[in-house]
Amino acid sequence: MGFGARSLLAGDLTGDGRTDLVSFNSGSDTASVLVNLGGGKFERRADVAFGGFTEVGALGDMDGDGKLDLIFVAGAITVRLGNGDGTFKGIVLTGDPMGGPVALAVGDVDGDGKLDVAAALYGDETAKPILVGAVALLRGAADGSLLPAKLYSADFNPAAIAIVDLDGEGKRDLLAACANPLKMIDTLAVLLNQGGGSFKPAALYPTGGQFPTSLAIGDFSGDGKIDVAVGNEYSELVSLFVNQGSGALGKALNFQGASIRIATSDFDRDKHLDVIGIAASSDRPAVGIVHGESGGSFRTPAILHPTRSGLSSLVVSDLDGDGVEEVAVTTYGIAEVPDGGAQVAGTVEVFLTAK
């Protein structure tokens, strides 16, 4: 990989039914494409150059041609159309220039059959006047380009974002995990979709943790409704919000767990969703799994699986085609080593699920 591997994406870039990986390398301003050869083996394709610093991205078929495209932030939210073979066209489709996007999500928010892009725009409490941050929605056009952004208020410092039909009305809503250093109360902001490009004012749910930076979506309680888990990076807490119906969420249920870059799957195949994330406080870098139980409860503490140093991102997907989801993680690497030491490139590690 390149240096400074910061985020990891998963999707079928070649159309062969296997899940490929894309690592964003902030130290070299590139993305490394790993094409899945089957059986848990990957081949690295030519890196994608961004021409500037970026560590935020997403995958989606923006132009509707059946091939995944690459969406990223490099001064603006930008689209590189996919060729369907793990490479991308040289044409760059650029949306509105904007500062501060720290997370992207892709989905058809306005119901027109074309994918849209939502962005979490971080605030700045030192600015005058204070920039509180916002959620931006850029509607997709038929050619894969993005229409001008529309901003929606959430809470201070949105750091993670998701697009999901939370209230079951058939329209996709916006969720944002927000860190509010002014009120010292971090929240999950829920913007319910009213149709026609409008949203209800954000409903704010305190997480009870510190610095929420990731979201995981799934039916944790087993009642058929979508629930939301929030990873609170500084407090090593995962906050679970159980869906009460009509898009309303219950009070946060907090449990100790690996709380950085969280994701979800049923790893032990007991029909209850588990939560996996990067553990911040273990003696050595590790990913941790907290296994789910009935009713949205969890068995703690997390079971730790040691890895190499400098973990930065994590994705969950079926990487070897066996119908069971696995875990891939990235490590940073070191671009500048004191006293002339050797540079260390970032890596991608894949954990295959035990059969």
Side-chain angles (χ1 to χ4, degrees):
M1 301 300 98
F3 300 112
R6 288 279 181 174
S7 58
L8 190 61
L9 310 176
D12 182 6
L13 297 173
T14 61
D16 61 0
R18 294 192 286 260
T19 300
D20 310 303
L21 298 172
V22 180
S23 170
F24 276 57
N25 312 311
S26 60
S28 51
D29 299 333
T30 61
S32 298
V33 177
L34 302 178
V35 172
N36 195 332
L37 302 179
K41 297 180 180 180
F42 292 83
E43 177 183 84
R44 183 176 176 181
R45 294 287 166 88
D47 286 358
V48 181
F50 293 131
F53 174 85
T54 186
E55 56 183 44
V56 178
L59 293 171
D61 182 9
M62 300 302 298
D63 59 354
D65 66 352
K67 304 167 187 172
L68 284 181
D69 309 310
L70 185 64
I71 306 101
F72 57 94
V73 178
I77 298 176
T78 303
V79 178
R80 288 278 297 271
L81 299 178
N83 291 315
D85 60 357
T87 65
F88 297 89
K89 301 182 189 303
I91 299 173
V92 177
L93 305 174
T94 304
D96 277 354
M98 59 180 65
V102 294
L104 301 178
V106 175
D108 182 7
V109 177
D110 58 5
D112 65 353
K114 298 183 287 291
L115 291 181
D116 311 307
V117 177
L121 304 182
Y122 213 62
D124 182 358
E125 65 270 26
T126 66
K128 296 184 183 303
I130 291 173
L131 301 176
V132 298
V135 171
L137 181 64
L138 294 85
R139 296 177 58 199
D143 63 355
S145 61
L146 299 170
L147 300 179
K150 187 171 183 180
L151 301 184
Y152 300 90
S153 297
D155 198 2
F156 206 97
N157 287 352
I161 193 162
I163 297 174
V164 63
D165 181 8
L166 190 66
D167 56 8
E169 294 186 351
K171 299 185 291 289
R172 289 177 176 163
D173 311 305
L174 300 177
L175 310 178
C178 303
N180 192 329
L182 300 180
K183 295 181 179 179
M184 301 300 291
I185 299 175
D186 296 342
T187 62
L188 171 66
V190 176
L191 292 83
L192 295 178
N193 193 337
Q194 299 186 108
S198 66
F199 293 84
K200 293 182 180 179
L204 303 180
Y205 297 88
T207 68
Q210 292 179 298
F211 198 46
T213 55
S214 57
L215 297 168
I217 310 298
D219 181 10
F220 293 97
S221 60
D223 63 357
K225 297 189 287 288
I226 295 297
D227 309 310
V228 185
V230 180
N232 299 283
E233 185 169 333
Y234 289 173
S235 53
E236 299 177 53
L237 288 176
V238 176
S239 304
L240 177 64
F241 295 90
V242 175
N243 195 332
Q244 306 297 303
S246 300
L249 301 176
K251 183 179 178 181
L253 305 173
N254 289 322
F255 58 91
Q256 291 290 331
S259 59
I260 303 173
R261 306 286 189 177
I262 65 169
T264 185
S265 185
D266 182 11
F267 294 106
D268 54 3
R269 298 186 282 282
D270 65 351
K271 302 187 186 307
H272 303 303
L273 286 178
D274 312 313
V275 174
I276 189 169
I278 297 171
S281 65
S282 63
D283 292 336
R284 57 177 294 188
V287 295
I289 299 177
V290 179
H291 289 289
E293 297 184 320
S294 61
S297 60
F298 292 87
R299 301 195 300 271
T300 57
I303 299 172
L304 298 179
H305 300 268
T307 67
R308 299 183 186 183
S309 62
L311 290 180
S312 54
S313 191
L314 175 152
V315 294
V316 171
S317 188
D318 180 7
L319 299 172
D320 60 359
D322 63 352
V324 178
E325 291 189 312
E326 286 83 31
V327 180
V329 298
T330 53
T331 64
Y332 292 111
I334 304 173
E336 296 183 5
V337 182
D339 302 322
Q343 294 179 326
V344 179
T347 64
V348 173
E349 298 181 32
V350 175
F351 292 80
L352 298 180
T353 306
K355 304 300 186 289

